[in-house]
């Protein structure tokens, strides 16, 4: 089952970095597009998913971001930035 990000209360971050710490995942950030174990952008353990381009506000991508573990469970360490 895809899991969305828990955003900081009262804020709408413009940028984020998510480090995949445990378990490979697939992710999507388009409106209405959910990842599955077979479909979505692959992110291996040790990789990072970044929406950090200062010229491109990514609030909508962050709002629509969801991730699913390929097998078992996964852990991502997420940082948000204005």
């Amino acid at each position: 089952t895809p899991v969305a990000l828990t955003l900081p209360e009262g804020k709408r971050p413009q940028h984020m970095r998510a480090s995949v710490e445990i378990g490979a995942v697939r992710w999507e950030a388009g409106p209405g597009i959910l990842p599955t174990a077979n479909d979505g952008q692959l992110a291996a353990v040790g990789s990072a998913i970044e929406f950090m381009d200062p010229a491109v506000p990514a609030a909508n991508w962050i709002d629509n971001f969801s991730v699913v573990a390929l097998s078992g469970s996964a852990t991502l360490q997420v940082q948000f930035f204005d």
Side-chain angles (χ1 to χ4, degrees):
T1 302
V3 176
L5 294 172
T6 300
L7 300 176
E9 188 173 329
K11 295 189 178 189
R12 189 163 187 237
Q14 298 298 309
H15 306 285
M16 72 152 224
R17 181 177 197 276
S19 300
V20 182
E21 295 186 344
I22 299 172
V25 299
R26 288 197 183 269
W27 65 273
E28 288 289 352
I33 303 171
L34 297 175
T36 68
N38 298 313
D39 192 29
Q41 305 300 315
L42 180 62
V45 172
S47 66
I49 302 162
E50 298 182 329
F51 302 143
M52 293 297 295
D53 185 337
V56 180
N60 289 335
W61 294 342
I62 294 168
D63 288 345
N64 291 305
F65 184 88
S66 61
V67 63
V68 65
L70 292 186
S71 72
S73 62
T75 301
L76 278 69
Q77 180 67 28
V78 182
Q79 297 173 297
F80 297 105
F81 306 93
D82 290 332

